Amino acid sequence: DGHEGERGRDGNVSIIYWQAPSILNPFLSGGTKDVESASMIIEPLARYNEKGELVPWLVEEIPTVDNGGVSEDLTQITWKITPGIKWSDGTDFTSADVKFTAEYCMDPEGGCGQVTKFEGVTNVETPDATTVVVTFDKPTPNPYGPFVGGESPIIQAAQFADCTGARAPECTEENFNPIGTGPFKVVEFKPNDVITMEANENFRHEGKPAFASVTFKGGGDATAAGRAVMETGEFDYAWNLQLAPDVIAQMEQGGKGTPVAGFGPLVERIMLNQTNPDPALGPDERSVIRPHPFLGEPAVYKAMSMAIDRPLLVEVGYGQAGKVTCNWVPAPEAFNSTSMTCDTQDIAGANALLDEAGFTDTDGDGIREVNGVPMKILYQTSTNAVRQDFQALIKQWWSEIGIEAELRNLSASVFFGGDPGSPDTFQKFYADVEMYANTFNGTDPQSYLANGLCDKAPSPASQWQGENISRFCMEEYDALHAELTQTAGLEARAEIGKKLNDMYVQNGGMIPLVHRGRLSAHANSLGGVILNVWDSELWNVADWYRIGE
Amino acid sequence: MPDGPAPVQEPVLDVQGLQTVFKTRGGEVHAVNDVTFHVKPGELLGVVGESGSGKSVTMMSLIGLLPSPPADVRGGTVMFEGNDLLKTDTETLRKVRGGRIGFVFQDPMTSLNPVFNVGFQIMEPLRKHMGMSKSAARARAIELLELVGIPDAARRLKDYPHQFSGGMRQRVMIAIALACDPKVLIADEPTTALDVTIQAQILELVKDLREKLGMAIIWITHDLGVIAGIADRVMVMYGGQVVEQAPVRELFGNPQHPYTRALLETIPTVRGARPDKLNVIQGQPPILGAVPTACPFRDRCAFRFDRCDRENPKRLPAGPDHDAACFYDFQTGGPRGA
Amino acid sequence: MALDEQKQPLVRVENLKMHFPIFGGLMRRRVGEVKAVDGISFDVFEGETLGLVGESGCGKSTVGRSVLRLYEVTDGTVTIGGRDIAHAPPEELRQMRTQMQMIFQDPQASLNPRMTVGDIIAEPLLEHRKMSSRELDDAVGGLMDRVGLNRNFAKRYPHEFSGGQRQRIGIARALALSPKFIVCDEPIAALDVSIQAQVVNLLEELQETMGLTYLFISHDLSMVRHIADRVAVMYLGRIVEIAPRDDLYDRPLHPYTQALLSAVPEPDPSRESTTERVILTGDVPSPSNPPQGCNFCTRCPQVIDICRQIEPEFQEVTPGRFAACHLLDQKPESAAKAPSEAT
Amino acid sequence: MFTFTIRRLILAVPTLLFISLVIFMLLQLAPGDPMAQVPLTVPPAVKEQMRQALGLGEPIHVQYLKWLRQFFWIEPLNLMDIWFGTTFAEGELRVISWQTRSPVMDIVAQRIPQTLWVVGVAYLVGILIALPIGIISAYKQYSWFDNAGTLVTMIGFSVPPFFSGVLVIVIFSVGLGWFPSIYDTTLVVDDWASLKKQINQMFLPVMVLALQITSQISRFMRASMLDNLNQDYVRTARAKGIRERGVVLVHVLRNSMIPVVTVIALGIPSIFGGAIITEQVFKVNGIGQLLITAIQANDLPMVQTLTFIFAVLIVLFNLIADVLYGVLDPRIRYD
Amino acid sequence: MTDVTHAESARNQWWDVWDQFKTHTGAMVGLVVFVFIVLGVYIGPLIWTASPTDIPPVVEMIKTRDARPIYTALWDSGARVSWANPLGTDNLARDNLARLMYGGRVSIAVGLTAMILSILIGTLVGVLAGYFKKLDRPLMIATDLFLALPLLPLILVASLLFREPLSAAFGVEGGIFVLIVVLIGVTSWMQTARIVRGDVLGLKEREFVLAARSIGTPNRRMVTRHILPNVLSPIMVSATLGIATAIITESALSFLGFGFPPDFPTWGRLLNDSVDRMVSYPERVVWPGTLISLTVLAVNYMGDGLRDALDPRIRGR
Ligand SMILES: Nc1ncnc2c1ncn2[C@@H]1O[C@H](COP(=O)(O)OP(=O)(O)OP(=O)(O)O)[C@@H](O)[C@H]1O
Ligand SMILES: Nc1ncnc2c1ncn2[C@@H]1O[C@H](COP(=O)(O)OP(=O)(O)OP(=O)(O)O)[C@@H](O)[C@H]1O
Ligand SMILES: [Mg+2]
Ligand SMILES: [Mg+2]
Ligand code: NI
């Protein structure tokens, strides 16, 4: 792009996220809003670019077996930090900070939200100020979990020294104002409202960032965010505009901004609860004990999937930003399984399947019964016009196969809030089925596929943390996944990955619906935006600049 | 004080053929019909009549106090200081109100503004009409309160109406009406809401003031006793019309309209003979739906003719400065003028 | 005592007190009381009309209501027909209500605007008599005839009637249970002069035909003179004088009575100018804070020192005439004469 | 008057305590054990500390007392610390939001300015528009002005702000580009330019809110004026020869304002309460938005605190309204 | 008595009220509009039988979705309109007219029942407090308390708390209906109670109540015969205002996500859901918005008229 000049030359850039960040320490929150807002301030050692490739960030190069950065037995990775990097307070960025970050997150009392990133890590060592050696407990073909990607940035040891373990949540000042190496630093953080940032004068790249300050506004709804960028031009960047295609098209006519879409592994899916969410069970047993009264039945979940007209969903909800998919992992291409097709709706087939399996409507009310209990399900999702349309459509189709759905929609900030206190989070899953989209950072789905492991199921014991939302549990799956963790070589890994994908979907873990592109919008005057679906969207905010003038 | 033949004097207020109509949902109400009267300087004109006979409406029509709509003053002239009050511009009329003609209303409890102190309310017309300074107005207000017999006037200026008794509020009302030395004072049943002992105080006060200030007074009441005590001349109203008009002694001694007669007969007294049975005016007052084409009193009248049904009697002379709107002549015992 | 021998007292009121509490201060405690009625006694004889006069706020209505126990009296007894009203238990009281009725001042306010005239008159019958609806209709019709209302109007509403007619409705309601005793609380005050006479005549006529006993409350001294047999004069919660009508009007004993009578305007200009008036100064004191000694001492033209200290006793001055004034104690023989000179 | 005020103040204390109890109990009713609502990422030791502070496990009245202590003792002390640099509240556990892990009061303090700017100004504007409308409507009852006023106020009353808000955004922000659609809470007003900007960004939310407020208050004003226009003292004032303007604006207005002023005073707490929907639509992120997000995130300490602050304000302004009533109306000088 | 006189004099008070009401143009227009709307939403679905929630099969859906109202053909000949959907369809091809009618059913039902509940509570409290001295203080303190409780937060909290138990007891929609109605009812009776109490206190001093007491009418009949009919007009006025408030409150709750489930149309939700497409499909906001406003307006004007009609002073004229 060749936009050069001194740091801060382009004044202010304003970003709107319709979910407001409530904390700037991604280790204490799992929310994308918090992770992405923090990614402008604190950075990982390496991250993924828009193509899903790993790129060095605070290091010289990506360690691999070839360049000797990864040990032959796949149990050790050595990061070489670029010398001369400074924290925004002017102190040196050293390997000690990296080590501290690992300790901070791995502290059992700290309640770290990204603890999965550090899975298998036994030891972090710092032979010198620029070298970090991470040792895993077993061969790890994909050792790029810790310190890679927006979810695992490095925090400053000096700042957080007193905030480890139990004291982590108490450090309001630190959590609201972390010192980082990123292009910006916090001026003021108003939780759930707005973050004001200014350029980090100690940023390692000359002449970057182009903007002197950032206004990061949170709250509201996707429509308003899209409108503010594309129609009124008040904001420069709006995140994740999950809006119907006709609404986006209408906004685009405003002429002030452009929507950008990118396809990552993001899949809109329906998760099927493998546990019993009956409220009568009480908060500690609910969605913990297995099995679900009927969702575990192959005939049931297969029929539910067959009843869905995915092309129609794509057309109604996403248009260009969506594709039909039957897979959990639709990207990267190598991992996209082709064993299943689900392009056509088959209500009759679904009905036949259910009849055959003996789930019939015994009392003539149009709803099938299982052991005398009608097949009624609670179908929840976040509040969002497209999702509500999906809900209405799918409810209709399911009713045609004799399954009644009760719809419920929850504010996105609650649903994805990750607050273990709320009964309405997607993790608690106090419903029979729930619909949302999920994705993973990077191009390797290993840890993403780990979301299907038995021991990843959220429960009171795990403090409702864990990504196995549908509480899927299958020995074979666990075994195959273990094999994946041992396997190197892309082809072999892709083979296993596809198998895992098929296993999960075919055994009723989820009903994939739409392979979604991430759709964000930026102002026409904002240059340098490269939509990255594999990492934080704001990954290259240091390169953004103002066009024209 | 009633006295002998009055010297020929120009009336201060001369009302001719006044006509006032209310437009209501149920149709028009002809509250005042062709009312003609006058007052001379220093004279006290008493107005009596039963409730709804149009006394208040007549007086309020004079100075444009009736809300319009629904009221509509249809006709007549009201000559005051060379102007026809019904035709002048609002600014002149406004100056006349409160400045040249004072008004005292029936209910002293509600006629004063509850949220302003009495001083403000007395001083208001003084400052508006006479352009007095604040201190001059204050001095005058104290003087006025003393004039109407409120002790400790200076201190009481700061009091609010609810801190006064009914009698005292009525005195305050009179003080307000007198503030700008009006030529005419119209008092609409100023003592009806008061007790007899208080009424006696007020009547005494008015007699006093009249001697001191020498203005013309129109005094509305339905208590003939009050009229007898203070009026020079009396006008009797019935059904929106003036039915009889005479000097006070003449009226009481020689009433020429059957309604006046009946009224005088019905009222019991505390002194003198006590009849066994009260005389009664049978029937109800008329409904004022249209301009009457017949005598409004005919349904209740003991001296009714055929003619009463056909024609509304005009006021005809019935003695010196005495006229009555009745076809029956009590002196001759036959039709008047026939 | 001539009257006493012929007639029995139907109503006997002894030392009746009605104090309304006043609340105030930081905790809304009872800080005082309005002594609306402060220890009065009188009898009403069968078939007579006792007039009760006085200025506004002196407690006339309160007396009337207390006598019928529409208020819970503070102290004293009220017996009607030998039965104690003031302390009767609720059910007994309900029975006794048939004996005594009330006619109210404001004919508009005393009729429920949402009930038909027929229903209003029928209400006492419904409460106390078991009647079929046909009987009820007839009874209501009869009552309406009796008070001179067209019985065809039974289905109309009060606002469709004139003031005098409304008062007749109130009277019909009071008569429904054929009571012996009726309290008339200023029944004519709200009516026009020409209508007043109609109502008063009706009341008199009913008294004759039905043998009713009235307590007739009014501040119109001339009407009371017309209708009452005996008259009680109240001032600030106390009765200052009770006397047979003619005695009272011709020779008032109490200075207040004298002033009151002289304040009544005379509807005769020839006599008016000759009348010498006693004009009272000042206002009635507040009943929550009555003056020490005689209640009237603050306005009395003939006040003497003792009046300001000692409360005069209410006593029989001449047979059948009661009054409470220190002047009468001092010169009992001339007391009856002195006022007549003032007239 | 003075004793009245004192008495009302004294009476307000038990009322407030009772209200706080009601709020406390209501939130305690929330499903499950309140400690189960504490994020489980909060480590056990901290949880134990919170448990101590809340008195959980103890009888409910002890819990309540502890809450009272936190709210009425520690928080004010903290405020003093901030103002005077003292250290009274050091080491005491403040009321901590479960969502942001920071003291509730700090966040509330952060939100109050923007709430006051927008909702407060809207209230003022609403009143300033409403009063003349009410006065003229009443004075010219059933005139075209009155009818039009009635129509507009009724529409203002009946159109939900989530519709009117978006409508004005579409018209004025998108269509005409006159005003921003998103409120900038970081704007610091320190010179004319920023003031202009502030006014500019306030315009739409203030307009939407003021429409609602105007609707209500002008109705009250009209009714009150109508009541008073028929009073006898108005006739007296006219008979005194006062100009119509004087009659209406001095005599009638003062009397009519008595009930309206109390209505206005009673509405003031709602300013602090924020206007939840309007704040959402324009992203004002004031108290209302704070409350709604707290409720959504089950942030009990935040909800408890906010609700109770509202209750205090409501009781306070009730009291002020009563006292005002007495001040304005000489007939009701309580004593 | 004869039948003739019966006929002549059998003038029911309600006829007078009606006569007076008829003279109030605004109120009459309001009544007509309200009746029209109510009939439309309750009888309408019997005539216009399209389903508000059913989505047609795929092919058809694609064809029929996002249809414009018939009348757009007047100025835009290219508009996709169809007599099968006179008001057009939404983006899932559901019939707008049917959705409006069903939405109206719920909104009006919520408005009416919440209003009735609030009036019942308000009147009961008001009458008891006004009539029985002993109950006055405690009841008024309770009323003040309710006034002092911040309502919207409480409604939100309560709907969070009781949603599930109620859903279990009354079914999903039933449960939420009960919840919303009860919440609105329980939090909006205070004004009525205050007004009624004030009126009752005044009435108690009126002489006709005294007259009834002197007759020996017991308290129960005193209240039903003399007190209640006379506080009817303020109650009626509160009632009409109450419907409006309830409809609006429901829509606000829907907006905040605490109302009915997303597929259950109410006017408030229809309006809210269509705000995104306000520019392309203005009819989808205009219709529900207009209907809410019209209903509220109509009800308010009716309230105005009723107040006049029930006031004997005005009616007497
Ligand atoms: N605003 C009005 N609308 C309709 N009719 C009215 C209005 N004001 C007065 N009237 C009618 O005008 C007539 C005369 O009323 P007015 O007040 O003059 O009587 P009045 O003689 O003063 O009676 P009172 O002795 O009761 O004061 C009455 O029949 C009354 O009904
Ligand atoms: N319920 C009450 N509570 C407190 N004070 C009362 C009550 N009823 C009457 N009073 C007071 O008692 C006194 C006597 O009142 P009452 O109504 O008996 O006077 P009245 O002689 O009938 O007057 P009026 O001629 O005006 O009807 C008055 O000072 C009044 O203020
Ligand atoms: Mg009059
Ligand atoms: Mg009385
Ligand atoms: Ni018959």
Side-chain angles (χ1 to χ4, degrees), chain C residues 56-57 59-62 65 105 185-186 217, chain E residues 207:
Chain C
S56 181
K60 306 182 298 291
S61 300
T62 310
R65 290 172 189 189
Q105 165 169 5
D185 189 358
E186 314 209 19
I217 299 172
Chain E
E207 284 183 336

Side-chain angles (χ1 to χ4, degrees), chain D residues 14-241:
Chain D
T15 313
L16 275 178
L17 284 179
F18 188 82
I19 290 175
S20 69
L21 183 69
V22 170
I23 294 173
F24 184 81
M25 296 303 275
L26 220 121
L27 293 180
Q28 293 297 311
L29 276 180
D33 161 36
M35 275 324 275
Q37 306 287 334
V38 178
L40 281 137
T41 44
V42 174
V46 180
K47 238 196 270 179
E48 195 47 44
Q49 225 183 327
M50 288 169 100
R51 217 173 249 287
Q52 301 276 307
L54 285 172
L56 286 182
E58 294 181 61
I60 191 110
H61 63 269
V62 181
Q63 292 186 28
Y64 174 59
L65 289 177
K66 293 223 163 161
W67 179 71
L68 283 185
R69 186 179 124 78
Q70 252 190 342
F71 192 88
F72 285 104
W73 182 240
I74 299 176
E75 286 298 338
L77 278 185
N78 206 279
L79 195 67
M80 276 181 54
D81 290 356
I82 292 169
W83 282 348
F84 308 112
T86 50
T87 52
F88 290 127
E90 217 169 39
E92 299 276 10
L93 194 66
R94 298 182 60 188
V95 185
I96 299 276
S97 153
W98 290 343
Q99 197 191 5
T100 61
R101 324 280 159 82
S102 70
V104 166
M105 280 304 182
D106 294 358
I107 304 181
V108 173
Q110 216 171 55
R111 295 300 178 93
I112 281 179
Q114 50 235 45
T115 301
L116 285 189
W117 262 114
V118 174
V119 192
V121 169
Y123 203 70
L124 259 176
V125 170
I127 291 168
L128 288 182
I129 303 176
L131 295 187
I133 291 186
I135 293 168
I136 301 175
S137 294
Y139 188 67
K140 305 227 153 121
Q141 200 189 358
Y142 299 130
S143 66
W144 69 264
F145 183 93
D146 183 27
N147 287 328
T150 308
L151 193 77
V152 170
T153 52
M154 293 259 187
I155 289 176
F157 185 69
S158 66
V159 175
F162 60 75
F163 173 52
S164 51
V166 177
L167 187 70
V168 295
I169 286 181
V170 165
I171 296 175
F172 293 104
S173 299
V174 177
L176 300 168
W178 290 352
F179 306 104
S181 68
I182 288 175
Y183 187 90
D184 177 7
T185 45
T186 58
L187 184 72
V188 182
V189 178
D190 49 10
D191 55 12
W192 289 113
S194 58
L195 182 69
K196 195 171 159 253
K197 228 174 138 193
Q198 174 68 11
I199 291 174
N200 201 33
Q201 68 168 341
M202 273 164 50
F203 192 86
L204 291 183
V206 165
M207 191 167 114
V208 167
L209 271 178
L211 178 68
Q212 282 185 303
I213 294 160
T214 305
S215 300
Q216 286 169 17
I217 293 182
S218 70
R219 294 267 91 193
F220 274 112
M221 190 69 213
R222 178 177 179 270
S224 176
M225 285 289 289
L226 280 179
D227 277 354
N228 279 290
L229 275 169
N230 294 324
Q231 297 288 325
D232 283 355
Y233 66 78
V234 181
R235 194 178 54 188
T236 309
R238 293 213 173 99
K240 280 199 278 189

Side-chain angles (χ1 to χ4, degrees), chain B residues 8-251:
Chain B
V8 185
Q9 235 177 337
E10 278 300 299
V12 271
L13 182 70
D14 192 358
V15 180
Q16 297 287 336
L18 187 72
Q19 195 160 22
T20 303
V21 174
F22 288 98
K23 295 195 188 100
T24 65
R25 286 214 182 103
E28 291 191 340
V29 174
H30 290 252
V32 172
N33 266 316
D34 194 16
V35 165
T36 299
F37 68 94
H38 64 267
V39 241
K40 292 182 197 127
E43 184 186 40
L44 197 153
L45 173 71
V47 181
V48 285
E50 73 189 308
S51 186
S53 60
K55 305 182 294 291
S56 307
V57 171
T58 304
M59 296 312 156
M60 294 207 271
S61 305
L62 300 186
I63 50 171
L65 272 185
L66 287 174
S68 170
D72 177 14
V73 181
R74 286 254 168 97
T77 54
V78 176
M79 296 307 294
F80 177 75
E81 295 186 330
N83 283 329
D84 182 353
L85 294 186
L86 296 184
K87 302 210 168 62
T88 54
D89 55 312
T90 48
E91 197 53 18
T92 324
L93 191 62
R94 191 179 64 72
K95 292 219 172 86
V96 168
R97 295 208 287 250
R100 312 302 300 146
I101 299 181
F103 224 109
V104 180
F105 294 101
Q106 167 170 5
D107 193 346
M109 301 296 167
T110 57
S111 293
L112 289 170
N113 193 330
V115 302
F116 291 107
N117 63 34
V118 158
F120 173 86
Q121 299 193 51
I122 301 179
M123 280 147 69
E124 208 181 4
L126 290 172
R127 305 199 57 191
K128 292 270 147 72
H129 292 296
M130 327 251 295
M132 284 191 187
S133 71
K134 206 165 178 181
S135 55
R138 211 182 109 83
R140 170 79 175 140
I142 295 174
E143 195 181 304
L144 281 165
L145 279 187
E146 273 163 0
L147 184 70
V148 295
I150 291 182
D152 200 5
R155 197 178 51 79
R156 302 228 62 172
L157 279 183
K158 285 207 194 63
D159 284 353
Y160 289 90
H162 72 278
Q163 289 161 308
F164 289 80
S165 70
M168 285 167 90
R169 277 187 233 183
Q170 198 57 288
R171 286 163 195 259
V172 172
M173 278 299 294
I174 294 176
I176 293 175
L178 294 180
C180 302
D181 272 327
K183 276 182 123 175
V184 179
L185 176 72
I186 302 177
D188 188 356
E189 310 200 22
T191 57
T192 305
L194 304 177
D195 280 311
V196 270
T197 57
I198 311 293
Q199 168 172 303
Q201 291 174 6
I202 301 273
L203 290 182
E204 207 61 22
L205 170 73
V206 169
K207 281 188 201 164
D208 237 37
L209 288 176
R210 189 155 72 103
E211 267 163 33
K212 272 194 216 155
L213 307 175
M215 68 210 141
I217 299 179
I218 301 176
W219 191 277
I220 304 177
T221 178
H222 49 233
D223 189 337
L224 285 173
V226 172
I227 290 285
I230 61 168
D232 300 325
R233 205 152 51 84
V234 186
M235 175 169 102
V236 182
M237 289 191 69
Y238 186 84
Q241 302 178 2
V242 178
V243 292
E244 185 166 8
Q245 183 271 127
V248 66
R249 278 163 194 265
E250 169 83 5
L251 187 97

Side-chain angles (χ1 to χ4, degrees), chain A residues 414 417-423 425 427-428, chain D residues 37-39 98-99 297-299:
Chain A
V414 176
D419 178 359
S422 167
T425 58
Q427 281 133 330
K428 280 240 172 105
Chain D
Q37 306 287 334
V38 178
W98 290 343
Q99 197 191 5
N298 245 28
D299 190 351

Side-chain angles (χ1 to χ4, degrees), chain E residues 69 71 87 100 267 271 282-292:
Chain E
Y71 54 78
L87 287 185
L100 274 178
W267 282 341
L271 181 57
E283 67 273 8
R284 293 194 207 152
V285 287
V286 166
W287 281 105
T290 312
L291 283 172
I292 294 180

Side-chain angles (χ1 to χ4, degrees), chain A residues 249-271:
Chain A
Q250 166 73 33
M251 283 181 177
E252 210 183 337
Q253 286 173 11
K256 299 262 167 55
T258 324
V260 281
F263 282 89
L266 181 67
V267 170
E268 184 83 15
R269 83 286 291 277
I270 291 174
M271 301 303 284

Side-chain angles (χ1 to χ4, degrees), chain E residues 122-170:
Chain E
T123 309
L124 187 74
V125 172
V127 167
L128 289 182
Y131 193 76
F132 298 101
K133 250 205 178 107
K134 272 191 202 129
L135 293 177
D136 191 19
R137 267 183 80 91
L139 283 179
M140 277 303 108
I141 288 181
T143 311
D144 281 352
L145 265 182
F146 265 85
L147 277 174
L149 286 177
L151 295 185
L152 194 57
L154 279 190
I155 290 186
L156 298 184
V157 170
S159 76
L160 213 64
L161 297 188
F162 302 118
R163 190 185 191 105
E164 276 190 359
L166 281 172
S167 294
F170 299 97

